[in-house]
Amino acid sequence: LDYQTRLMSVLPKSGGLLDLALLGMGEDGHTCSLFPNHPLLQQRQVLVAPIEDSPKPPPHRITLTFRALEQTRTVIFCATGEAKSPILAQIV
């Protein structure tokens, strides 16, 4: 399944935007599979991208890009656990 094509086919039905993204956060501050200092952070051409060298397992993933998140009406982050406290304090 080509997620980029699928997403592009349904976005016009919602005014060109995703309604909601419910996201978690890793201990290093990554969300989706967008890791700090990874080249994928610079991807601006597509809404969905593969990552073949994830610094956390599994190494092969599919993720929304920042471009997709920017085209989302509401983004909610949910982060729990003591290990995430230091990075959460930096972000907030």
Side-chain angles (χ1 to χ4, degrees), residues 25-71:
M25 184 186 74
E27 294 174 8
D28 59 358
H30 83 272
T31 191
C32 296
S33 288
L34 302 172
F35 291 91
N37 304 312
H38 193 279
L40 189 56
L41 295 174
Q42 307 308 315
Q43 174 55 260
R44 306 297 299 164
Q45 304 302 310
V46 296
L47 301 176
V48 179
I51 179 170
E52 303 294 332
D53 59 349
S54 169
K56 306 266 186 200
H60 305 285
R61 303 170 177 221
I62 297 172
T63 186
L64 294 175
T65 63
F66 276 137
R67 180 176 168 211
L69 296 177
E70 290 170 347
Q71 294 179 335

Side-chain angles (χ1 to χ4, degrees), residues 7-8 10-19 47 67-68 70-73:
L7 189 56
M8 294 302 288
V10 298
L11 278 179
K13 298 173 185 172
S14 67
L17 300 171
L18 293 172
D19 288 323
L47 301 176
R67 180 176 168 211
E70 290 170 347
Q71 294 179 335
T72 303
R73 285 186 181 89

